[in-house]
Amino acid sequence: MGTRLVLTSAATGVLMVGGVSAAALTPEAGPAVKAGAEGTRENDCRATANSLPSSDKHIYLYTASKCKGANDAKDDSAADSDYGDGEGQIKDFDNKAGSLINHSDATVEFYTRTKYSDDGDRFCVRPGHYVTKLYMYGDGKAEAGNWSNSISSHRRVDPDKCKRFFGWRVK
């Protein structure tokens, strides 16, 4: 499998190995900005995650890429098996996520199917990491070809159980 470098902005680069983030470069130091500010060099997800109190242990889901605007769904429980069933903390958000922040203290696995089904695809995000553009990921097969608007469930997992990780470290 070849390695490719994908530039996500003029100041941020991500080394991709087979469609999976292998390393990230930290953006150049820029002016302090409020989360979601337009025209800044700082990543919106990074700024948003850094603005959250350390005691806040939620995962945050956003419809838009780069965690723009207020979060559309959040959860501090260990799992939600179906974003569309009207139960749990995430309601009516099946297949709507475009970016996310894992501000929890655990590795979280996200699934394209409900009930953590192996029939679909999945990826993990480490604690304190974020994914700015879910559409960047995927390996071209079926629903895994585009993660944006494909997440249906999540749960905390042991990192050794993950087959792939996405995301950038907040700090």
Side-chain angles (χ1 to χ4, degrees), residues 94-95 110-114 117 119-123 143-144 146-147 150-153:
D94 190 28
N95 298 320
F110 294 89
Y111 301 81
T112 59
R113 300 285 179 97
T114 60
S117 174
D119 289 340
D121 205 357
R122 61 184 186 241
F123 68 90
E143 62 200 62
N146 186 349
W147 274 96
S150 294
I151 298 175
S152 295
S153 60

mmCIF file of all heavy atoms in Angstrom, residues 94-95 110-114 117 119-123 143-144 146-147 150-153:
data_model
loop_
_atom_site.group_PDB
_atom_site.id
_atom_site.type_symbol
_atom_site.label_atom_id
_atom_site.label_comp_id
_atom_site.label_asym_id
_atom_site.label_seq_id
_atom_site.Cartn_x
_atom_site.Cartn_y
_atom_site.Cartn_z
ATOM 1 N N ASP A 94 -28.751 9.778 13.346
ATOM 2 C CA ASP A 94 -28.229 8.664 12.554
ATOM 3 C C ASP A 94 -27.759 9.165 11.194
ATOM 4 O O ASP A 94 -28.481 9.872 10.493
ATOM 5 C CB ASP A 94 -29.321 7.608 12.384
ATOM 6 C CG ASP A 94 -28.797 6.325 11.789
ATOM 7 O OD1 ASP A 94 -27.605 6.008 11.981
ATOM 8 O OD2 ASP A 94 -29.585 5.626 11.131
ATOM 9 N N ASN A 95 -26.540 8.824 10.835
ATOM 10 C CA ASN A 95 -25.952 9.167 9.537
ATOM 11 C C ASN A 95 -25.904 10.670 9.271
ATOM 12 O O ASN A 95 -26.153 11.122 8.158
ATOM 13 C CB ASN A 95 -26.709 8.459 8.408
ATOM 14 C CG ASN A 95 -26.621 6.960 8.527
ATOM 15 O OD1 ASN A 95 -25.576 6.416 8.860
ATOM 16 N ND2 ASN A 95 -27.720 6.286 8.278
ATOM 17 N N PHE A 110 -16.541 4.069 16.539
ATOM 18 C CA PHE A 110 -17.727 4.522 15.818
ATOM 19 C C PHE A 110 -18.034 3.532 14.702
ATOM 20 O O PHE A 110 -17.118 3.004 14.060
ATOM 21 C CB PHE A 110 -17.490 5.918 15.235
ATOM 22 C CG PHE A 110 -17.316 6.972 16.291
ATOM 23 C CD1 PHE A 110 -16.065 7.249 16.811
ATOM 24 C CD2 PHE A 110 -18.414 7.681 16.765
ATOM 25 C CE1 PHE A 110 -15.900 8.211 17.792
ATOM 26 C CE2 PHE A 110 -18.261 8.646 17.747
ATOM 27 C CZ PHE A 110 -16.997 8.909 18.264
ATOM 28 N N TYR A 111 -19.323 3.305 14.444
ATOM 29 C CA TYR A 111 -19.774 2.282 13.497
ATOM 30 C C TYR A 111 -20.710 2.875 12.449
ATOM 31 O O TYR A 111 -21.497 3.769 12.752
ATOM 32 C CB TYR A 111 -20.536 1.178 14.251
ATOM 33 C CG TYR A 111 -19.727 0.489 15.304
ATOM 34 C CD1 TYR A 111 -19.544 1.060 16.559
ATOM 35 C CD2 TYR A 111 -19.129 -0.736 15.043
ATOM 36 C CE1 TYR A 111 -18.786 0.427 17.532
ATOM 37 C CE2 TYR A 111 -18.377 -1.379 16.014
ATOM 38 C CZ TYR A 111 -18.206 -0.787 17.255
ATOM 39 O OH TYR A 111 -17.460 -1.425 18.217
ATOM 40 N N THR A 112 -20.668 2.302 11.241
ATOM 41 C CA THR A 112 -21.587 2.733 10.189
ATOM 42 C C THR A 112 -22.952 2.071 10.331
ATOM 43 O O THR A 112 -23.879 2.449 9.628
ATOM 44 C CB THR A 112 -21.046 2.416 8.784
ATOM 45 O OG1 THR A 112 -20.840 1.009 8.677
ATOM 46 C CG2 THR A 112 -19.767 3.180 8.499
ATOM 47 N N ARG A 113 -23.055 1.101 11.197
ATOM 48 C CA ARG A 113 -24.316 0.398 11.417
ATOM 49 C C ARG A 113 -24.735 0.517 12.878
ATOM 50 O O ARG A 113 -23.916 0.763 13.748
ATOM 51 C CB ARG A 113 -24.189 -1.093 11.062
ATOM 52 C CG ARG A 113 -23.808 -1.366 9.615
ATOM 53 C CD ARG A 113 -24.996 -1.141 8.687
ATOM 54 N NE ARG A 113 -24.657 -1.360 7.314
ATOM 55 C CZ ARG A 113 -24.881 -2.477 6.658
ATOM 56 N NH1 ARG A 113 -25.419 -3.505 7.242
ATOM 57 N NH2 ARG A 113 -24.557 -2.564 5.384
ATOM 58 N N THR A 114 -25.996 0.284 13.143
ATOM 59 C CA THR A 114 -26.482 0.284 14.520
ATOM 60 C C THR A 114 -26.051 -0.995 15.236
ATOM 61 O O THR A 114 -25.630 -1.958 14.596
ATOM 62 C CB THR A 114 -28.021 0.387 14.552
ATOM 63 O OG1 THR A 114 -28.569 -0.740 13.868
ATOM 64 C CG2 THR A 114 -28.491 1.678 13.909
ATOM 65 N N SER A 117 -22.643 -3.297 14.722
ATOM 66 C CA SER A 117 -22.644 -4.412 13.782
ATOM 67 C C SER A 117 -21.344 -4.501 12.986
ATOM 68 O O SER A 117 -20.815 -3.515 12.499
ATOM 69 C CB SER A 117 -23.808 -4.249 12.799
ATOM 70 O OG SER A 117 -23.745 -5.226 11.799
ATOM 71 N N ASP A 119 -21.369 -5.919 10.186
ATOM 72 C CA ASP A 119 -21.793 -5.899 8.785
ATOM 73 C C ASP A 119 -21.347 -4.625 8.086
ATOM 74 O O ASP A 119 -21.215 -4.597 6.873
ATOM 75 C CB ASP A 119 -23.315 -6.028 8.674
ATOM 76 C CG ASP A 119 -23.792 -7.419 9.039
ATOM 77 O OD1 ASP A 119 -22.970 -8.360 9.006
ATOM 78 O OD2 ASP A 119 -24.981 -7.560 9.375
ATOM 79 N N GLY A 120 -21.136 -3.559 8.851
ATOM 80 C CA GLY A 120 -20.679 -2.293 8.283
ATOM 81 C C GLY A 120 -19.191 -2.114 8.518
ATOM 82 O O GLY A 120 -18.433 -3.067 8.536
ATOM 83 N N ASP A 121 -18.767 -0.888 8.726
ATOM 84 C CA ASP A 121 -17.366 -0.583 8.972
ATOM 85 C C ASP A 121 -17.270 0.195 10.271
ATOM 86 O O ASP A 121 -18.280 0.625 10.830
ATOM 87 C CB ASP A 121 -16.805 0.233 7.806
ATOM 88 C CG ASP A 121 -15.302 0.077 7.672
ATOM 89 O OD1 ASP A 121 -14.681 -0.620 8.507
ATOM 90 O OD2 ASP A 121 -14.736 0.658 6.739
ATOM 91 N N ARG A 122 -16.053 0.385 10.760
ATOM 92 C CA ARG A 122 -15.858 1.077 12.031
ATOM 93 C C ARG A 122 -14.463 1.681 12.116
ATOM 94 O O ARG A 122 -13.559 1.275 11.379
ATOM 95 C CB ARG A 122 -16.110 0.126 13.184
ATOM 96 C CG ARG A 122 -15.162 -1.041 13.182
ATOM 97 C CD ARG A 122 -15.529 -1.991 14.297
ATOM 98 N NE ARG A 122 -14.545 -3.038 14.388
ATOM 99 C CZ ARG A 122 -14.801 -4.317 14.232
ATOM 100 N NH1 ARG A 122 -16.034 -4.699 13.946
ATOM 101 N NH2 ARG A 122 -13.862 -5.201 14.348
ATOM 102 N N PHE A 123 -14.315 2.637 13.020
ATOM 103 C CA PHE A 123 -13.010 3.227 13.308
ATOM 104 C C PHE A 123 -12.997 3.704 14.750
ATOM 105 O O PHE A 123 -14.047 3.908 15.363
ATOM 106 C CB PHE A 123 -12.691 4.384 12.358
ATOM 107 C CG PHE A 123 -13.561 5.597 12.542
ATOM 108 C CD1 PHE A 123 -13.208 6.617 13.418
ATOM 109 C CD2 PHE A 123 -14.736 5.723 11.823
ATOM 110 C CE1 PHE A 123 -14.008 7.731 13.580
ATOM 111 C CE2 PHE A 123 -15.546 6.840 11.974
ATOM 112 C CZ PHE A 123 -15.189 7.855 12.862
ATOM 113 N N GLU A 143 -20.008 1.490 2.018
ATOM 114 C CA GLU A 143 -20.226 2.612 2.918
ATOM 115 C C GLU A 143 -18.944 3.149 3.523
ATOM 116 O O GLU A 143 -18.901 4.261 4.008
ATOM 117 C CB GLU A 143 -21.196 2.210 4.019
ATOM 118 C CG GLU A 143 -20.677 1.083 4.870
ATOM 119 C CD GLU A 143 -21.787 0.369 5.609
ATOM 120 O OE1 GLU A 143 -22.672 -0.194 4.960
ATOM 121 O OE2 GLU A 143 -21.752 0.386 6.833
ATOM 122 N N ALA A 144 -17.861 2.374 3.510
ATOM 123 C CA ALA A 144 -16.594 2.845 4.074
ATOM 124 C C ALA A 144 -15.927 3.860 3.151
ATOM 125 O O ALA A 144 -14.972 4.496 3.545
ATOM 126 C CB ALA A 144 -15.651 1.672 4.313
ATOM 127 N N ASN A 146 -16.954 6.656 2.286
ATOM 128 C CA ASN A 146 -17.179 8.015 2.744
ATOM 129 C C ASN A 146 -17.800 7.959 4.133
ATOM 130 O O ASN A 146 -18.954 7.611 4.288
ATOM 131 C CB ASN A 146 -18.113 8.749 1.781
ATOM 132 C CG ASN A 146 -18.266 10.204 2.135
ATOM 133 O OD1 ASN A 146 -17.861 10.664 3.200
ATOM 134 N ND2 ASN A 146 -18.846 10.951 1.227
ATOM 135 N N TRP A 147 -17.011 8.322 5.150
ATOM 136 C CA TRP A 147 -17.490 8.250 6.526
ATOM 137 C C TRP A 147 -18.457 9.366 6.869
ATOM 138 O O TRP A 147 -19.237 9.245 7.794
ATOM 139 C CB TRP A 147 -16.306 8.282 7.484
ATOM 140 C CG TRP A 147 -15.766 6.919 7.702
ATOM 141 C CD1 TRP A 147 -14.719 6.344 7.061
ATOM 142 C CD2 TRP A 147 -16.272 5.941 8.591
ATOM 143 N NE1 TRP A 147 -14.548 5.067 7.504
ATOM 144 C CE2 TRP A 147 -15.482 4.799 8.445
ATOM 145 C CE3 TRP A 147 -17.325 5.918 9.499
ATOM 146 C CZ2 TRP A 147 -15.713 3.647 9.182
ATOM 147 C CZ3 TRP A 147 -17.548 4.780 10.229
ATOM 148 C CH2 TRP A 147 -16.744 3.653 10.068
ATOM 149 N N SER A 150 -22.289 8.819 7.886
ATOM 150 C CA SER A 150 -22.389 7.361 7.926
ATOM 151 C C SER A 150 -22.366 6.772 9.324
ATOM 152 O O SER A 150 -22.477 5.567 9.475
ATOM 153 C CB SER A 150 -21.242 6.723 7.126
ATOM 154 O OG SER A 150 -21.363 7.027 5.763
ATOM 155 N N ILE A 151 -22.203 7.562 10.371
ATOM 156 C CA ILE A 151 -22.076 7.018 11.720
ATOM 157 C C ILE A 151 -23.461 6.768 12.312
ATOM 158 O O ILE A 151 -24.334 7.625 12.286
ATOM 159 C CB ILE A 151 -21.268 7.960 12.624
ATOM 160 C CG1 ILE A 151 -19.851 8.100 12.075
ATOM 161 C CG2 ILE A 151 -21.240 7.444 14.054
ATOM 162 C CD1 ILE A 151 -19.005 9.097 12.833
ATOM 163 N N SER A 152 -23.641 5.558 12.864
ATOM 164 C CA SER A 152 -24.927 5.159 13.436
ATOM 165 C C SER A 152 -24.853 4.744 14.895
ATOM 166 O O SER A 152 -25.886 4.647 15.551
ATOM 167 C CB SER A 152 -25.511 3.995 12.634
ATOM 168 O OG SER A 152 -25.810 4.408 11.328
ATOM 169 N N SER A 153 -23.651 4.456 15.417
ATOM 170 C CA SER A 153 -23.516 4.041 16.813
ATOM 171 C C SER A 153 -22.071 4.202 17.266
ATOM 172 O O SER A 153 -21.171 4.366 16.440
ATOM 173 C CB SER A 153 -23.975 2.586 16.996
ATOM 174 O OG SER A 153 -23.213 1.696 16.203
#
